């Protein structure tokens, strides 16, 4: 029976990744402290650095507004078809 992969939450990944971004400790040290593979620490660091500019942009809020507008339009169309 194959072993199922372990998944980690964002709440777990954040404190693991922050020291690597700051350059405080090596990936191996952090990995042993949090009991994860060192490759995961490096992967999470790359992912965090890639997504960081999006945190400060207004694109997310604009995308959320667009999605909400689309949802409202679809609800109105569905309501007009029923009524």
């Amino acid at each position: 029976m194959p072993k199922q992969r372990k998944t980690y939450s964002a709440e777990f990944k954040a404190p693991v990744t922050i020291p690597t971004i700051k350059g405080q400790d090596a990936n191996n040290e952090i990995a042993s402290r949090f009991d994860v593979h060192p490759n995961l620490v490096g992967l999470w660091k790359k992912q965090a650095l890639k997504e960081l500019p999006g945190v400060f942009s207004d694109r997310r809020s604009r995308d959320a507004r667009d999605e909400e507008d689309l949802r409202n339009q679809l609800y109105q169309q569905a309501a007009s078809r029923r009524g």
Side-chain angles (χ1 to χ4, degrees):
M1 178 173 237
K3 191 175 184 181
Q4 192 172 11
R5 285 186 171 196
K6 190 171 182 180
T7 57
Y8 299 96
S9 68
E11 290 79 19
F12 177 81
K13 292 177 184 179
V16 174
T17 307
I18 290 171
T20 63
I21 292 172
K22 289 182 176 181
Q24 293 174 338
D25 296 320
N27 287 2
N28 289 335
E29 294 172 12
I30 294 169
S32 65
R33 189 178 327 144
F34 289 96
D35 195 31
V36 296
H37 197 276
N39 289 350
L40 281 177
V41 176
L43 179 69
W44 295 342
K45 177 183 177 182
K46 285 181 188 177
Q47 185 179 13
L49 292 174
K50 179 181 172 189
E51 296 294 326
L52 195 57
V55 172
F56 299 108
S57 74
D58 64 339
R59 189 181 84 213
R60 287 183 184 211
S61 61
R62 198 171 49 237
D63 289 346
R65 275 195 313 267
D66 292 346
E67 185 178 325
E68 186 175 340
D69 290 343
L70 176 61
R71 187 179 308 120
N72 289 336
Q73 287 175 355
L74 293 173
Y75 280 129
Q76 288 174 353
Q77 287 175 0
S80 68
R81 289 181 184 160
R82 281 189 243 139

